[in-house]
Amino acid sequence: EIISCYANGAAETQSSRQDAIFREFMQHVFRDHKTERTLEYYAGKMCITTRYLSATVKEKTGYTATYWIDSITPLKYRNGG
């Protein structure tokens, strides 16, 4: 029973960490999307690797981090306008 309590706590901690990473990522994207559109920029701001950011966002939402960046960035900013 102790092991299952620990396992449940570890799962909750992992989920909480994923939630925190996704929330922070989205805050950065909403704030900086007009000028910054690279995964490297956002991972760097969060002090994590692009691979970890991508995997976490994909696991949490089912979509890639670049999908979210592109979805939030209006076409006029993507084309330099």
Side-chain angles (χ1 to χ4, degrees):
E1 187 165 331
I2 291 173
I3 292 173
S4 71
C5 288
Y6 176 76
N8 289 339
E12 288 175 14
T13 301
Q14 176 67 19
S15 178
S16 297
R17 177 72 178 139
Q18 288 178 336
D19 288 340
I21 288 171
F22 181 66
R23 265 194 315 274
E24 183 180 351
F25 168 66
M26 293 305 286
Q27 288 170 350
H28 286 298
V29 173
F30 276 111
R31 187 184 61 230
D32 300 338
H33 72 271
K34 292 179 184 178
T35 57
E36 300 296 339
R37 292 177 289 283
T38 66
L39 187 60
E40 291 79 8
Y41 171 81
Y42 295 106
K45 291 289 282 183
M46 298 171 67
C47 299
I48 58 177
T49 66
T50 56
R51 186 174 184 166
Y52 184 64
L53 177 57
S54 293
T56 300
V57 170
K58 177 82 172 187
E59 187 173 325
K60 185 72 188 154
T61 68
Y63 295 100
T64 64
T66 53
Y67 166 85
W68 289 107
I69 295 167
D70 289 344
S71 294
I72 292 168
T73 305
L75 188 58
K76 68 179 182 177
Y77 295 118
R78 282 188 254 163
N79 292 332

